[in-house]
Amino acid sequence: MAYHNIIIAIDGFSSCGKSTLAKELAKHLGYSYIDSGAMYRAVTLYFLRNQVSISDPASVAEALSNINLAFIYNETNKTSEIYLNDENVEPYIRDMIVAEKVSEVAAIKEVRKFAVAQQQQMGLQKGIVMDGRDIGSAVFPDAELKIFMTADPEVRVMRRFKEMYVTNPHITIDEVRHNLELRDYIDSTREESPLHRAADALILDNSNLSRDEQFHLVLEWVRERTKPVKA
Ligand code: DC
C-alpha cells in the first residue's frame, strides 16, 4: 500500500512559522519543499544589486529576462536553497535591506507572473509543500490540503526578532515590528493576488501550540487527504 502524493499549500502572514512547518512536513513525507517567498526575495536582491527601477515596466521586464532561479537541495542543511543565476543567495535574502523592499517587488504583476509560472511547474509532479501568500488561492487552487496560518502579532514579532538577531545583533524589536506591520499591510492590500484565506483553507492559529502539537495536528490533516492506494 502507498499513499497518494498531494500538494500542500501553506499561506499566512509573515513570521507565523510557515517555513518551519513546511520543512518538517516535507522531511517527514519525503516531499520537496519550496519557499515561494525566497523567490520574491531573490528577485528583490537582483533588483537592488542592479538598481532596477521598479516603477519602470521595461526595466522590470528586462531584469526578469536576466534572472534564473533554481532550488537546490543542500545535503548538509537538509533543505532546498535558492540560487540566483547560479549563486546561492540564501545568506543574503533575509537581510533587512531585502525585507524592506520585497513586498513592493512582490506586488508587481510581471514579477508575480514570472514566479507563479515557475511555482506551478514545480507542482506538476505533486509531492510538494509550498509556503507563501497566494499558494492556496492562486498558485495551486486545486491543492488537496490548504492551510492558512496565523499567530498573535506580538508572538510573530518576537519570533522574527530572535531569528534576525542571530545575524544582526543591532536590530531592535521596534524595527522588526514596523517591518512586519508594513509587509502585512502591503501583502494583504495589493491589487495582484493579495494575501487572503482561500475559502477551503484550514485555519491554523499556532500562538499557543508547541511545534510538536502543531506538527501532529497537521499530519492528521495530511493523512485524511492521502487515502492509501495499491502500490
Ligand atoms: O514569506 P516571506 O516573508 O519570505 O515573503 C517575502 C515577501 O514575499 C512577503 O513580503 C510577501 C511576498 N510573497 C508573496 O507575495 N507571495 C508569496 N507566495 C510569497 C511571498
Side-chain angles (χ1 to χ4, degrees):
M1 299 284 256
Y3 286 91
H4 284 301
N5 272 351
I6 63 169
I7 292 181
I8 303 176
I10 304 180
D11 291 303
F13 293 103
S14 306
S15 305
C16 283
K18 297 188 296 294
S19 65
T20 304
L21 172 65
K23 279 182 200 170
E24 278 177 352
L25 279 176
K27 191 169 164 205
H28 184 86
L29 299 167
Y31 282 17
S32 47
Y33 162 60
I34 297 296
D35 171 0
S36 69
M39 298 174 75
Y40 294 101
R41 286 172 180 270
V43 169
T44 304
L45 182 67
Y46 181 95
F47 281 17
L48 286 167
R49 283 177 174 177
N50 294 280
Q51 294 168 357
V52 176
S53 160
I54 62 170
S55 54
D56 175 23
S59 304
V60 169
E62 202 208 320
L64 290 176
S65 72
N66 290 321
I67 295 178
N68 179 41
L69 299 180
F71 284 94
I72 298 179
Y73 190 75
N74 180 326
E75 283 293 343
T76 314
N77 299 344
K78 303 277 176 238
T79 189
S80 54
E81 296 181 330
I82 191 154
Y83 283 68
L84 166 64
N85 295 337
D86 298 326
E87 175 193 359
N88 183 343
V89 289
E90 282 290 336
Y92 317 114
I93 59 169
R94 297 182 210 283
D95 287 350
M96 198 45 132
I97 182 170
V98 174
E100 276 172 359
K101 202 82 193 153
V102 64
S103 284
E104 264 182 88
V105 172
I108 302 171
K109 190 176 183 173
E110 287 309 313
V111 171
R112 301 205 72 79
K113 263 168 77 179
F114 171 85
V116 169
Q118 294 179 41
Q119 290 156 6
Q120 289 175 332
Q121 200 64 27
M122 295 171 198
L124 289 178
Q125 308 295 322
K126 303 222 174 197
I128 188 168
V129 188
M130 193 177 289
D131 71 345
R133 304 292 186 291
D134 61 342
I135 310 305
S137 58
V139 180
F140 298 125
D142 297 327
E144 289 85 352
L145 175 58
K146 299 180 187 177
I147 300 170
F148 190 86
M149 289 179 72
T150 72
D152 183 85
E154 276 311 299
V155 172
R156 294 166 49 214
V157 169
M158 288 316 293
R159 279 182 192 156
R160 182 53 66 112
F161 173 71
K162 284 182 196 151
E163 203 176 278
M164 296 196 83
Y165 186 81
V166 178
T167 51
N168 179 5
H170 301 296
I171 194 108
T172 66
I173 294 176
D174 275 347
E175 277 175 306
V176 173
R177 183 181 297 110
H178 176 72
N179 178 255
L180 279 191
E181 284 171 355
L182 190 66
R183 286 205 288 141
D184 283 355
Y185 177 75
I186 300 177
D187 294 344
S188 45
T189 55
R190 70 181 177 218
E191 245 174 70
E192 293 297 323
S193 305
L195 168 67
H196 74 275
R197 182 176 79 87
D200 52 350
L202 303 175
I203 294 179
L204 178 62
D205 182 335
N206 64 12
S207 312
N208 298 307
L209 286 181
S210 71
R211 236 170 105 162
D212 227 38
E213 287 168 336
Q214 164 176 278
F215 181 68
H216 286 98
L217 171 67
V218 174
L219 213 49
E220 269 307 300
W221 293 346
V222 173
R223 291 304 178 216
E224 285 163 13
R225 284 157 182 81
T226 51
K227 300 225 167 65
V229 290
K230 288 218 160 78

